[in-house]
Amino acid sequence: MLAGKRILLIIGGGIAAYKALELIRRYQDAGATVTPVLTGAAEQFVTPLSVAALAGQKAYRDLFDLTDEAEMGHIQLSRAADLVVVAPATADLMAKMAAGLANDLASTLLMATDKAVLIAPAMNVRMWQHPATQRNLATLRSDGVQVVGPNDGAMACGEFGPGRMAEPVEIVTATVAAFGPKPLTGKRVLVTSGPTHEPIDPVRYIANRSSGAQGTAIARALVDLGADVTFVTGPASVAPPEGVRLVRVETARAMLEAVIAAGTVDAAVFAAAVADWRVATEPDQKIKKTPDGALPELRFVENPDILATVSQRTSGRPKLVIGFAAETQNVLENATAKRLRKGCDWIVANDVSAATGIMGGVDNAVTLITADGTEDWPRMAKTAVAARLAQRISEALS
Ligand code: CTP
């Protein structure tokens, strides 16, 4: 994905600096070479030795290092790369960039470069929300700096909210996107997301705990890779992504109609938690309590299976159909059987038992099941699962 690309990676001084080590690995896996630069503060979090060892080359640190100047001056260093990436971009580093300061190697390189710059901010939630940081962010964006993250989540400082650095896999996706042309340009992808609401009467409904976070993140990651995304969502609690063809539905039947109306697509990702059943007859009026205390009885009928319907299409089937398996027990066994039963190509399986905190939470731990076998992905942010899945989709469609 990044074969032959040279990345100048500036590592800022924040707790997220440890993730820069994984980022270097991921860049190398994608075919890029990384020239690392550490700020003075970054050295408090990761050692130049470990960074250099992973990158396979010198970790640059000091503006006034004469050996460096003899080997490669800071101007040349800033230009030799194809892209400059700042991860983590601390509040201080962002402020320096926005103000145009150049009092150390990192800030000087950022001033001197003639290449595109991508930053992955990481800081305490209050620092991120501070008007000064938001002002600096706006300035940087208008200067053409690209930004990935930050994510919402629990932070090392014990607070919760936006400020956590994007996961390395998301930074790699953003890097691929920064180089363009985007690998999914011209591809049409359908994503279903969120819960469905199945009416009991005009005021009541049956729902489930899906927030729509995973489906939303997948749609966003696909858009980032250039896909033309139709996003069919039930009543989710997270806001839909930007840049999609948005179709809002309530029920499973409406979701199926919207999926069919979306027409032919290259890939379809069914992340929605569709209600398996609906109430057989929906009365026009609200069901009232009766004086004799008789309890209402609900009779259910099965909803159409959207994933199975699309997977088993004889004409116009997407090249790649991906289902989700939300299980609370025997996850692998159930999900493997589900892939065959539904007829989809891949299943993304996860354990949604209450104890995992996955449903409605920020993180996800999934297993990807394909015809070739199973792959356990480590627990990571839903946005990171999305970025990784989007990368896999782009490889499968290329
Ligand atoms: N799905 C769907 N339409 C339905 C039910 C499920 O498209 N009516 C899709 C979901 O979006 C998901 C996959 O099917 O991608 C698996 O959903 P899940 O609820 O886990 O499977 P079920 O078919 O309900 O199987 P089980 O009841 O055995 O768990």
Side-chain angles (χ1 to χ4, degrees):
M1 277 187 306
L2 291 171
K5 299 290 187 214
R6 293 160 306 171
I7 303 211
L8 182 69
L9 175 64
I10 295 178
I11 304 172
I15 187 75
Y18 78 92
K19 288 191 194 167
L21 299 176
E22 190 195 334
L23 179 60
I24 293 171
R25 262 280 144 74
R26 288 201 173 268
Y27 274 141
Q28 290 167 335
D29 289 349
T33 53
V34 179
T35 303
V37 176
L38 287 114
T39 65
E43 290 184 33
Q44 304 297 319
F45 295 92
V46 283
T47 69
L49 191 63
S50 50
V51 169
L54 270 174
Q57 58 175 304
K58 184 182 172 86
Y60 291 86
R61 300 150 66 188
D62 193 349
L63 184 56
F64 300 105
D65 186 334
L66 292 178
T67 324
D68 289 352
E69 289 297 328
E71 282 172 7
M72 184 193 276
H74 61 269
I75 302 293
Q76 198 190 340
L77 186 58
S78 76
R79 310 248 166 110
D82 298 306
L83 180 75
V84 181
V85 176
V86 187
T90 58
D92 180 70
L93 210 38
M94 284 176 64
K96 276 186 181 158
M97 288 174 75
L101 296 184
N103 60 353
D104 62 6
L105 180 61
S107 53
T108 305
L109 292 172
L110 285 159
M111 279 290 279
T113 190
D114 57 355
K115 297 300 180 334
V117 177
L118 169 71
I119 64 170
M123 65 199 72
N124 166 275
V125 55
R126 288 288 163 104
M127 292 173 77
W128 173 249
Q129 288 166 343
H130 196 285
T133 303
Q134 291 301 311
R135 249 190 338 264
N136 292 334
L137 178 68
T139 303
L140 292 173
R141 280 194 201 277
S142 71
D143 288 348
V145 170
Q146 299 174 60
V147 183
V148 53
N151 292 336
D152 275 10
M155 310 187 59
C157 55
E159 290 183 28
F160 191 91
R164 198 161 83 160
M165 188 171 85
E167 297 296 329
V169 65
E170 295 171 71
I171 300 174
V172 171
T173 302
T175 305
V176 172
F179 280 116
K182 300 178 177 180
L184 284 175
T185 301
K187 300 289 182 197
R188 293 203 60 206
V189 185
L190 170 87
V191 179
T192 70
S193 182
T196 62
H197 284 182
E198 306 296 332
I200 295 171
D201 67 17
V203 296
R204 303 183 180 95
Y205 57 81
I206 294 170
N208 60 63
R209 294 188 198 282
S210 166
S211 63
Q214 186 63 83
T216 300
I218 291 168
R220 191 171 286 132
L222 290 164
V223 169
D224 286 347
L225 292 186
D228 174 352
V229 176
T230 300
F231 185 67
V232 180
T233 179
S237 52
V238 301
E242 282 171 20
V244 296
R245 297 168 196 261
L246 176 64
V247 187
R248 291 183 197 270
V249 297
E250 291 264 329
T251 65
R253 281 169 299 168
M255 188 172 273
L256 176 62
E257 269 174 36
V259 164
I260 291 169
T264 313
V265 293
D266 298 287
V269 184
F270 293 91
V274 185
D276 288 323
W277 310 281
R278 67 177 181 274
V279 178
T281 46
E282 186 197 341
D284 294 341
Q285 306 297 328
K286 183 182 167 195
I287 303 171
K288 302 288 286 179
K289 278 185 282 190
T290 56
D292 61 0
L295 299 174
E297 285 199 1
L298 299 180
R299 206 169 57 76
F300 290 96
V301 289
E302 202 166 319
N303 267 329
D305 190 319
I306 307 166
L307 170 62
T309 306
V310 172
S311 297
Q312 291 161 24
R313 254 187 203 167
T314 45
S315 75
R317 183 191 189 278
K319 182 176 172 204
L320 181 64
V321 180
I322 305 170
F324 272 69
E327 307 288 346
T328 54
Q329 55 186 340
N330 303 331
V331 178
L332 265 191
E333 201 180 309
N334 284 337
T336 305
K338 200 169 275 182
R339 190 182 82 83
L340 297 174
R341 193 170 67 242
K342 304 241 186 188
C344 56
D345 302 297
W346 299 352
I347 281 268
V348 180
N350 58 2
D351 183 346
V352 292
S353 317
T356 64
I358 283 173
M359 211 148 189
V362 177
D363 289 343
N364 206 352
V366 308
T367 302
L368 181 67
I369 302 174
T370 69
D372 300 330
T374 65
E375 255 176 57
D376 285 326
W377 292 3
R379 190 175 175 117
M380 58 179 107
K382 286 181 178 174
T383 47
V385 171
R388 195 156 163 176
L389 191 65
Q391 282 170 15
R392 294 293 289 266
I393 292 171
S394 88
E395 285 162 20
L397 294 185
S398 63

